[in-house]
Amino acid sequence: MPEIPRMLVVGSVAYDSVDTPSGKNNDQLGGSATYFSVSSSFLTNVAVVAVVGADFDPGDRAMLSDRGIDTSGLVQVDGNTFRWSGSYREDLNDAVTLETQLNVFADFSPELGDAHKRSPFLFLANIDPNLQGSVLSQMSTRPKMVACDTMNLWIDNARPALVSLINHVDILLINEAEALQLTGCDGVASAAENLLESGLKAVVIKRGEYGAVTFHREFTFAVPAYPLISVVDPTGAGDSFAGGFLGYLSSVDDTGHDAIRRAAVVGSVMASFAVESYGLDRLRSLSASDINARFDAFVELTRFHPLGGGQGLPVRPQFNN
Ligand code: AMP
């Protein structure tokens, strides 16, 4: 019997063409499941469920499996691999989609193997919510944690399937613009409150260079983004965040509050690397010491001493009540 992965991800495997203030790059390996699995592979044993076309470079599959990623669920069929092109010229925090070609994803109907069905952590990365739902419904035991992501295309075109999916997951990771679009709210806190009413345990709202806020039912926790001098390509930041976040939780096998706070920092660490170069280049080059050094930099970035001695701030006496 094949090994049960700690983490299963379904999502896109793509060739992306991006236009950023640093320039253009065409046909770079990308996709939500790709960024997620490369990012989480540093911390956990992850298996990918996705489809690629006849044009998929065998070297790209080898890159994933050489990192220990289980690609047995990465099906190859006739046709072309999913393609996405986007521009960050207007706003580095929010891609404008120029073109989406679903290609082989248009007819994909995933069938999970027995080992994959028993994975304790499941990430439903950005893809058609009907596919996300099909993977969730095939799990033979309810995973310990199910998280999902989505984007404007699916909010516009598949809202009923998305809303019913969200009712069955534990954590929704979503970017700010999409949280507002999905809920009709005009701020992240009200959007999160609205989403938590659907039964989610937590909503993580990603805010690009402004960081990410975790709205858990019992606490709220904010992490800044790492203050980088230069952002080359924001593509994949969200999926790399999710890979760090869930990769950490699955590796420590803990879904408690402290672990979730730390996971949000690990997510920000991985996202900060993803944007430093085009595509997966920077993420792929990382070593354990790079990751630990940036984690320590986040500890320093967010460190301050609470006030000692129960004194409170030195507010002037006339404001005592
Ligand atoms: P993000 O982490 O949000 O920057 O996601 C970037 C990745 O999402 C890119 O590599 C794209 O290939 C992928 N992507 C873009 N649009 C879609 C879509 N409609 N469905 C699935 N994946 C997508």
Side-chain angles (χ1 to χ4, degrees), residues 150-152 155 159 172-192 194-195 203-206 215:
T150 193
M151 72 178 293
N152 50 8
I155 299 172
R159 184 182 274 267
L172 172 66
L173 297 105
I174 189 167
N175 76 27
E176 177 171 354
E178 283 142 10
L180 303 187
Q181 183 191 355
L182 182 58
T183 58
C185 295
D186 55 14
V188 286
S190 54
N194 177 297
L195 288 164
V203 180
V204 182
I205 301 194
K206 299 167 285 177
F215 293 91

PDB file of all heavy atoms in Angstrom, residues 150-152 155 159 172-192 194-195 203-206 215:
ATOM      1  N   THR A 150      -9.668  30.517  -2.995  1.00  0.00           N
ATOM      2  CA  THR A 150     -10.433  30.708  -4.227  1.00  0.00           C
ATOM      3  C   THR A 150     -10.026  32.027  -4.858  1.00  0.00           C
ATOM      4  O   THR A 150      -9.088  32.675  -4.404  1.00  0.00           O
ATOM      5  CB  THR A 150     -11.946  30.647  -3.955  1.00  0.00           C
ATOM      6  OG1 THR A 150     -12.626  30.544  -5.215  1.00  0.00           O
ATOM      7  CG2 THR A 150     -12.450  31.875  -3.185  1.00  0.00           C
ATOM      8  N   MET A 151     -10.713  32.436  -5.936  1.00  0.00           N
ATOM      9  CA  MET A 151     -10.406  33.731  -6.548  1.00  0.00           C
ATOM     10  C   MET A 151     -11.633  34.301  -7.254  1.00  0.00           C
ATOM     11  O   MET A 151     -12.666  33.643  -7.351  1.00  0.00           O
ATOM     12  CB  MET A 151      -9.224  33.616  -7.515  1.00  0.00           C
ATOM     13  CG  MET A 151      -9.565  32.891  -8.780  1.00  0.00           C
ATOM     14  SD  MET A 151      -8.180  32.798  -9.934  1.00  0.00           S
ATOM     15  CE  MET A 151      -7.957  34.511 -10.393  1.00  0.00           C
ATOM     16  N   ASN A 152     -11.473  35.533  -7.768  1.00  0.00           N
ATOM     17  CA  ASN A 152     -12.616  36.233  -8.342  1.00  0.00           C
ATOM     18  C   ASN A 152     -13.326  35.450  -9.456  1.00  0.00           C
ATOM     19  O   ASN A 152     -14.548  35.466  -9.535  1.00  0.00           O
ATOM     20  CB  ASN A 152     -12.211  37.647  -8.810  1.00  0.00           C
ATOM     21  CG  ASN A 152     -10.961  37.644  -9.679  1.00  0.00           C
ATOM     22  OD1 ASN A 152     -10.450  36.593 -10.065  1.00  0.00           O
ATOM     23  ND2 ASN A 152     -10.450  38.831  -9.971  1.00  0.00           N
ATOM     24  N   ILE A 155     -15.708  33.152  -7.859  1.00  0.00           N
ATOM     25  CA  ILE A 155     -16.769  33.875  -7.132  1.00  0.00           C
ATOM     26  C   ILE A 155     -17.812  34.355  -8.157  1.00  0.00           C
ATOM     27  O   ILE A 155     -19.014  34.285  -7.930  1.00  0.00           O
ATOM     28  CB  ILE A 155     -16.184  35.058  -6.316  1.00  0.00           C
ATOM     29  CG1 ILE A 155     -15.175  34.537  -5.275  1.00  0.00           C
ATOM     30  CG2 ILE A 155     -17.299  35.852  -5.620  1.00  0.00           C
ATOM     31  CD1 ILE A 155     -14.382  35.624  -4.540  1.00  0.00           C
ATOM     32  N   ARG A 159     -20.365  30.616  -7.858  1.00  0.00           N
ATOM     33  CA  ARG A 159     -20.638  31.018  -6.470  1.00  0.00           C
ATOM     34  C   ARG A 159     -21.403  29.953  -5.665  1.00  0.00           C
ATOM     35  O   ARG A 159     -21.000  29.646  -4.533  1.00  0.00           O
ATOM     36  CB  ARG A 159     -21.376  32.358  -6.456  1.00  0.00           C
ATOM     37  CG  ARG A 159     -21.628  32.899  -5.060  1.00  0.00           C
ATOM     38  CD  ARG A 159     -22.395  34.198  -5.119  1.00  0.00           C
ATOM     39  NE  ARG A 159     -21.538  35.346  -5.288  1.00  0.00           N
ATOM     40  CZ  ARG A 159     -21.058  36.076  -4.274  1.00  0.00           C
ATOM     41  NH1 ARG A 159     -21.369  35.785  -3.029  1.00  0.00           N
ATOM     42  NH2 ARG A 159     -20.289  37.102  -4.500  1.00  0.00           N
ATOM     43  N   LEU A 172     -10.605  29.088   5.627  1.00  0.00           N
ATOM     44  CA  LEU A 172     -10.598  29.703   4.298  1.00  0.00           C
ATOM     45  C   LEU A 172      -9.440  30.691   4.262  1.00  0.00           C
ATOM     46  O   LEU A 172      -9.326  31.556   5.138  1.00  0.00           O
ATOM     47  CB  LEU A 172     -11.926  30.441   4.075  1.00  0.00           C
ATOM     48  CG  LEU A 172     -12.024  31.303   2.808  1.00  0.00           C
ATOM     49  CD1 LEU A 172     -11.987  30.450   1.542  1.00  0.00           C
ATOM     50  CD2 LEU A 172     -13.319  32.140   2.838  1.00  0.00           C
ATOM     51  N   LEU A 173      -8.564  30.527   3.250  1.00  0.00           N
ATOM     52  CA  LEU A 173      -7.500  31.520   3.027  1.00  0.00           C
ATOM     53  C   LEU A 173      -7.901  32.269   1.771  1.00  0.00           C
ATOM     54  O   LEU A 173      -8.174  31.653   0.730  1.00  0.00           O
ATOM     55  CB  LEU A 173      -6.147  30.836   2.824  1.00  0.00           C
ATOM     56  CG  LEU A 173      -5.640  30.038   4.034  1.00  0.00           C
ATOM     57  CD1 LEU A 173      -5.788  28.554   3.806  1.00  0.00           C
ATOM     58  CD2 LEU A 173      -4.190  30.366   4.327  1.00  0.00           C
ATOM     59  N   ILE A 174      -7.936  33.580   1.857  1.00  0.00           N
ATOM     60  CA  ILE A 174      -8.484  34.342   0.743  1.00  0.00           C
ATOM     61  C   ILE A 174      -7.837  35.725   0.741  1.00  0.00           C
ATOM     62  O   ILE A 174      -7.470  36.224   1.812  1.00  0.00           O
ATOM     63  CB  ILE A 174     -10.031  34.410   0.884  1.00  0.00           C
ATOM     64  CG1 ILE A 174     -10.699  34.984  -0.346  1.00  0.00           C
ATOM     65  CG2 ILE A 174     -10.463  35.130   2.155  1.00  0.00           C
ATOM     66  CD1 ILE A 174     -12.223  34.759  -0.355  1.00  0.00           C
ATOM     67  N   ASN A 175      -7.692  36.349  -0.446  1.00  0.00           N
ATOM     68  CA  ASN A 175      -7.092  37.669  -0.382  1.00  0.00           C
ATOM     69  C   ASN A 175      -8.159  38.724  -0.121  1.00  0.00           C
ATOM     70  O   ASN A 175      -9.363  38.469  -0.216  1.00  0.00           O
ATOM     71  CB  ASN A 175      -6.157  37.955  -1.563  1.00  0.00           C
ATOM     72  CG  ASN A 175      -6.882  38.266  -2.834  1.00  0.00           C
ATOM     73  OD1 ASN A 175      -8.013  38.749  -2.813  1.00  0.00           O
ATOM     74  ND2 ASN A 175      -6.243  38.012  -3.959  1.00  0.00           N
ATOM     75  N   GLU A 176      -7.694  39.903   0.242  1.00  0.00           N
ATOM     76  CA  GLU A 176      -8.613  40.943   0.713  1.00  0.00           C
ATOM     77  C   GLU A 176      -9.693  41.273  -0.319  1.00  0.00           C
ATOM     78  O   GLU A 176     -10.887  41.283   0.005  1.00  0.00           O
ATOM     79  CB  GLU A 176      -7.799  42.204   1.046  1.00  0.00           C
ATOM     80  CG  GLU A 176      -8.668  43.355   1.460  1.00  0.00           C
ATOM     81  CD  GLU A 176      -7.866  44.544   1.993  1.00  0.00           C
ATOM     82  OE1 GLU A 176      -6.644  44.442   2.144  1.00  0.00           O
ATOM     83  OE2 GLU A 176      -8.503  45.567   2.262  1.00  0.00           O
ATOM     84  N   ALA A 177      -9.280  41.517  -1.571  1.00  0.00           N
ATOM     85  CA  ALA A 177     -10.265  41.929  -2.586  1.00  0.00           C
ATOM     86  C   ALA A 177     -11.323  40.845  -2.755  1.00  0.00           C
ATOM     87  O   ALA A 177     -12.523  41.131  -2.900  1.00  0.00           O
ATOM     88  CB  ALA A 177      -9.554  42.205  -3.912  1.00  0.00           C
ATOM     89  N   GLU A 178     -10.885  39.575  -2.709  1.00  0.00           N
ATOM     90  CA  GLU A 178     -11.837  38.490  -2.916  1.00  0.00           C
ATOM     91  C   GLU A 178     -12.751  38.291  -1.705  1.00  0.00           C
ATOM     92  O   GLU A 178     -13.923  37.942  -1.861  1.00  0.00           O
ATOM     93  CB  GLU A 178     -11.083  37.226  -3.328  1.00  0.00           C
ATOM     94  CG  GLU A 178     -10.683  37.361  -4.791  1.00  0.00           C
ATOM     95  CD  GLU A 178      -9.326  36.812  -5.181  1.00  0.00           C
ATOM     96  OE1 GLU A 178      -8.690  36.124  -4.364  1.00  0.00           O
ATOM     97  OE2 GLU A 178      -8.909  37.093  -6.316  1.00  0.00           O
ATOM     98  N   ALA A 179     -12.231  38.538  -0.507  1.00  0.00           N
ATOM     99  CA  ALA A 179     -13.085  38.447   0.689  1.00  0.00           C
ATOM    100  C   ALA A 179     -14.196  39.498   0.610  1.00  0.00           C
ATOM    101  O   ALA A 179     -15.357  39.217   0.953  1.00  0.00           O
ATOM    102  CB  ALA A 179     -12.249  38.655   1.948  1.00  0.00           C
ATOM    103  N   LEU A 180     -13.848  40.691   0.138  1.00  0.00           N
ATOM    104  CA  LEU A 180     -14.864  41.745   0.036  1.00  0.00           C
ATOM    105  C   LEU A 180     -15.860  41.403  -1.069  1.00  0.00           C
ATOM    106  O   LEU A 180     -17.083  41.567  -0.912  1.00  0.00           O
ATOM    107  CB  LEU A 180     -14.202  43.111  -0.247  1.00  0.00           C
ATOM    108  CG  LEU A 180     -13.137  43.576   0.766  1.00  0.00           C
ATOM    109  CD1 LEU A 180     -12.690  45.000   0.478  1.00  0.00           C
ATOM    110  CD2 LEU A 180     -13.616  43.470   2.215  1.00  0.00           C
ATOM    111  N   GLN A 181     -15.346  40.872  -2.191  1.00  0.00           N
ATOM    112  CA  GLN A 181     -16.225  40.503  -3.299  1.00  0.00           C
ATOM    113  C   GLN A 181     -17.193  39.388  -2.881  1.00  0.00           C
ATOM    114  O   GLN A 181     -18.389  39.433  -3.180  1.00  0.00           O
ATOM    115  CB  GLN A 181     -15.370  40.030  -4.482  1.00  0.00           C
ATOM    116  CG  GLN A 181     -16.192  39.682  -5.717  1.00  0.00           C
ATOM    117  CD  GLN A 181     -15.368  38.966  -6.786  1.00  0.00           C
ATOM    118  OE1 GLN A 181     -14.151  38.800  -6.652  1.00  0.00           O
ATOM    119  NE2 GLN A 181     -16.042  38.533  -7.835  1.00  0.00           N
ATOM    120  N   LEU A 182     -16.673  38.415  -2.160  1.00  0.00           N
ATOM    121  CA  LEU A 182     -17.497  37.260  -1.772  1.00  0.00           C
ATOM    122  C   LEU A 182     -18.597  37.655  -0.800  1.00  0.00           C
ATOM    123  O   LEU A 182     -19.711  37.138  -0.870  1.00  0.00           O
ATOM    124  CB  LEU A 182     -16.568  36.188  -1.163  1.00  0.00           C
ATOM    125  CG  LEU A 182     -17.172  34.873  -0.720  1.00  0.00           C
ATOM    126  CD1 LEU A 182     -17.890  34.172  -1.874  1.00  0.00           C
ATOM    127  CD2 LEU A 182     -16.074  33.948  -0.163  1.00  0.00           C
ATOM    128  N   THR A 183     -18.283  38.571   0.122  1.00  0.00           N
ATOM    129  CA  THR A 183     -19.247  38.885   1.180  1.00  0.00           C
ATOM    130  C   THR A 183     -20.057  40.147   0.901  1.00  0.00           C
ATOM    131  O   THR A 183     -21.089  40.366   1.542  1.00  0.00           O
ATOM    132  CB  THR A 183     -18.510  39.115   2.516  1.00  0.00           C
ATOM    133  OG1 THR A 183     -17.571  40.192   2.329  1.00  0.00           O
ATOM    134  CG2 THR A 183     -17.787  37.870   2.970  1.00  0.00           C
ATOM    135  N   GLY A 184     -19.565  41.009   0.010  1.00  0.00           N
ATOM    136  CA  GLY A 184     -20.232  42.308  -0.183  1.00  0.00           C
ATOM    137  C   GLY A 184     -19.928  43.281   0.945  1.00  0.00           C
ATOM    138  O   GLY A 184     -20.512  44.364   1.006  1.00  0.00           O
ATOM    139  N   CYS A 185     -19.003  42.929   1.840  1.00  0.00           N
ATOM    140  CA  CYS A 185     -18.642  43.831   2.942  1.00  0.00           C
ATOM    141  C   CYS A 185     -17.621  44.850   2.445  1.00  0.00           C
ATOM    142  O   CYS A 185     -16.999  44.669   1.401  1.00  0.00           O
ATOM    143  CB  CYS A 185     -18.043  43.029   4.101  1.00  0.00           C
ATOM    144  SG  CYS A 185     -19.216  41.890   4.848  1.00  0.00           S
ATOM    145  N   ASP A 186     -17.423  45.915   3.238  1.00  0.00           N
ATOM    146  CA  ASP A 186     -16.456  46.913   2.780  1.00  0.00           C
ATOM    147  C   ASP A 186     -15.189  46.977   3.619  1.00  0.00           C
ATOM    148  O   ASP A 186     -14.380  47.884   3.459  1.00  0.00           O
ATOM    149  CB  ASP A 186     -17.096  48.302   2.627  1.00  0.00           C
ATOM    150  CG  ASP A 186     -17.769  48.741   3.912  1.00  0.00           C
ATOM    151  OD1 ASP A 186     -17.512  48.096   4.956  1.00  0.00           O
ATOM    152  OD2 ASP A 186     -18.536  49.720   3.866  1.00  0.00           O
ATOM    153  N   GLY A 187     -14.957  45.991   4.482  1.00  0.00           N
ATOM    154  CA  GLY A 187     -13.705  45.954   5.252  1.00  0.00           C
ATOM    155  C   GLY A 187     -13.386  44.520   5.622  1.00  0.00           C
ATOM    156  O   GLY A 187     -14.276  43.650   5.635  1.00  0.00           O
ATOM    157  N   VAL A 188     -12.098  44.263   5.941  1.00  0.00           N
ATOM    158  CA  VAL A 188     -11.699  42.879   6.202  1.00  0.00           C
ATOM    159  C   VAL A 188     -12.334  42.313   7.475  1.00  0.00           C
ATOM    160  O   VAL A 188     -12.698  41.141   7.519  1.00  0.00           O
ATOM    161  CB  VAL A 188     -10.170  42.685   6.266  1.00  0.00           C
ATOM    162  CG1 VAL A 188      -9.546  42.761   4.905  1.00  0.00           C
ATOM    163  CG2 VAL A 188      -9.506  43.647   7.210  1.00  0.00           C
ATOM    164  N   ALA A 189     -12.498  43.146   8.504  1.00  0.00           N
ATOM    165  CA  ALA A 189     -13.038  42.612   9.762  1.00  0.00           C
ATOM    166  C   ALA A 189     -14.502  42.194   9.578  1.00  0.00           C
ATOM    167  O   ALA A 189     -14.910  41.119  10.037  1.00  0.00           O
ATOM    168  CB  ALA A 189     -12.902  43.645  10.877  1.00  0.00           C
ATOM    169  N   SER A 190     -15.279  43.030   8.888  1.00  0.00           N
ATOM    170  CA  SER A 190     -16.690  42.645   8.703  1.00  0.00           C
ATOM    171  C   SER A 190     -16.800  41.470   7.739  1.00  0.00           C
ATOM    172  O   SER A 190     -17.655  40.589   7.905  1.00  0.00           O
ATOM    173  CB  SER A 190     -17.534  43.838   8.258  1.00  0.00           C
ATOM    174  OG  SER A 190     -16.977  44.419   7.123  1.00  0.00           O
ATOM    175  N   ALA A 191     -15.917  41.410   6.725  1.00  0.00           N
ATOM    176  CA  ALA A 191     -15.941  40.259   5.805  1.00  0.00           C
ATOM    177  C   ALA A 191     -15.634  38.978   6.570  1.00  0.00           C
ATOM    178  O   ALA A 191     -16.291  37.941   6.390  1.00  0.00           O
ATOM    179  CB  ALA A 191     -14.931  40.459   4.679  1.00  0.00           C
ATOM    180  N   ALA A 192     -14.643  39.047   7.463  1.00  0.00           N
ATOM    181  CA  ALA A 192     -14.266  37.857   8.237  1.00  0.00           C
ATOM    182  C   ALA A 192     -15.410  37.431   9.155  1.00  0.00           C
ATOM    183  O   ALA A 192     -15.734  36.246   9.261  1.00  0.00           O
ATOM    184  CB  ALA A 192     -13.006  38.137   9.036  1.00  0.00           C
ATOM    185  N   ASN A 194     -18.552  37.937   8.748  1.00  0.00           N
ATOM    186  CA  ASN A 194     -19.588  37.360   7.889  1.00  0.00           C
ATOM    187  C   ASN A 194     -19.220  35.920   7.500  1.00  0.00           C
ATOM    188  O   ASN A 194     -20.040  35.003   7.580  1.00  0.00           O
ATOM    189  CB  ASN A 194     -19.698  38.274   6.653  1.00  0.00           C
ATOM    190  CG  ASN A 194     -20.663  37.793   5.619  1.00  0.00           C
ATOM    191  OD1 ASN A 194     -20.461  36.718   5.054  1.00  0.00           O
ATOM    192  ND2 ASN A 194     -21.685  38.578   5.361  1.00  0.00           N
ATOM    193  N   LEU A 195     -17.947  35.694   7.117  1.00  0.00           N
ATOM    194  CA  LEU A 195     -17.532  34.355   6.678  1.00  0.00           C
ATOM    195  C   LEU A 195     -17.521  33.367   7.839  1.00  0.00           C
ATOM    196  O   LEU A 195     -17.860  32.191   7.665  1.00  0.00           O
ATOM    197  CB  LEU A 195     -16.153  34.430   6.016  1.00  0.00           C
ATOM    198  CG  LEU A 195     -16.173  35.099   4.629  1.00  0.00           C
ATOM    199  CD1 LEU A 195     -14.765  35.511   4.189  1.00  0.00           C
ATOM    200  CD2 LEU A 195     -16.804  34.166   3.601  1.00  0.00           C
ATOM    201  N   VAL A 203     -10.683  32.333   9.245  1.00  0.00           N
ATOM    202  CA  VAL A 203     -10.522  32.923   7.914  1.00  0.00           C
ATOM    203  C   VAL A 203      -9.190  33.656   7.935  1.00  0.00           C
ATOM    204  O   VAL A 203      -8.948  34.465   8.842  1.00  0.00           O
ATOM    205  CB  VAL A 203     -11.631  33.962   7.624  1.00  0.00           C
ATOM    206  CG1 VAL A 203     -11.456  34.559   6.240  1.00  0.00           C
ATOM    207  CG2 VAL A 203     -13.001  33.349   7.775  1.00  0.00           C
ATOM    208  N   VAL A 204      -8.336  33.359   6.970  1.00  0.00           N
ATOM    209  CA  VAL A 204      -7.057  34.064   6.883  1.00  0.00           C
ATOM    210  C   VAL A 204      -7.147  35.009   5.690  1.00  0.00           C
ATOM    211  O   VAL A 204      -7.297  34.556   4.554  1.00  0.00           O
ATOM    212  CB  VAL A 204      -5.878  33.083   6.704  1.00  0.00           C
ATOM    213  CG1 VAL A 204      -4.556  33.850   6.661  1.00  0.00           C
ATOM    214  CG2 VAL A 204      -5.863  32.048   7.815  1.00  0.00           C
ATOM    215  N   ILE A 205      -7.089  36.309   5.969  1.00  0.00           N
ATOM    216  CA  ILE A 205      -7.202  37.283   4.879  1.00  0.00           C
ATOM    217  C   ILE A 205      -5.812  37.794   4.533  1.00  0.00           C
ATOM    218  O   ILE A 205      -5.106  38.363   5.375  1.00  0.00           O
ATOM    219  CB  ILE A 205      -8.187  38.415   5.241  1.00  0.00           C
ATOM    220  CG1 ILE A 205      -9.558  37.771   5.524  1.00  0.00           C
ATOM    221  CG2 ILE A 205      -8.264  39.429   4.096  1.00  0.00           C
ATOM    222  CD1 ILE A 205     -10.732  38.702   5.576  1.00  0.00           C
ATOM    223  N   LYS A 206      -5.420  37.523   3.277  1.00  0.00           N
ATOM    224  CA  LYS A 206      -4.081  37.892   2.804  1.00  0.00           C
ATOM    225  C   LYS A 206      -4.155  39.283   2.202  1.00  0.00           C
ATOM    226  O   LYS A 206      -5.041  39.558   1.388  1.00  0.00           O
ATOM    227  CB  LYS A 206      -3.610  36.856   1.772  1.00  0.00           C
ATOM    228  CG  LYS A 206      -3.512  35.447   2.341  1.00  0.00           C
ATOM    229  CD  LYS A 206      -3.348  34.395   1.257  1.00  0.00           C
ATOM    230  CE  LYS A 206      -4.642  34.141   0.526  1.00  0.00           C
ATOM    231  NZ  LYS A 206      -4.521  33.178  -0.586  1.00  0.00           N
ATOM    232  N   PHE A 215      -8.430  35.579  11.321  1.00  0.00           N
ATOM    233  CA  PHE A 215      -9.616  35.765  12.157  1.00  0.00           C
ATOM    234  C   PHE A 215     -10.095  34.372  12.556  1.00  0.00           C
ATOM    235  O   PHE A 215     -10.728  33.674  11.763  1.00  0.00           O
ATOM    236  CB  PHE A 215     -10.719  36.501  11.384  1.00  0.00           C
ATOM    237  CG  PHE A 215     -10.372  37.928  11.045  1.00  0.00           C
ATOM    238  CD1 PHE A 215      -9.745  38.238   9.841  1.00  0.00           C
ATOM    239  CD2 PHE A 215     -10.686  38.962  11.915  1.00  0.00           C
ATOM    240  CE1 PHE A 215      -9.428  39.549   9.519  1.00  0.00           C
ATOM    241  CE2 PHE A 215     -10.369  40.285  11.608  1.00  0.00           C
ATOM    242  CZ  PHE A 215      -9.736  40.578  10.407  1.00  0.00           C
TER     243      PHE A 215
END
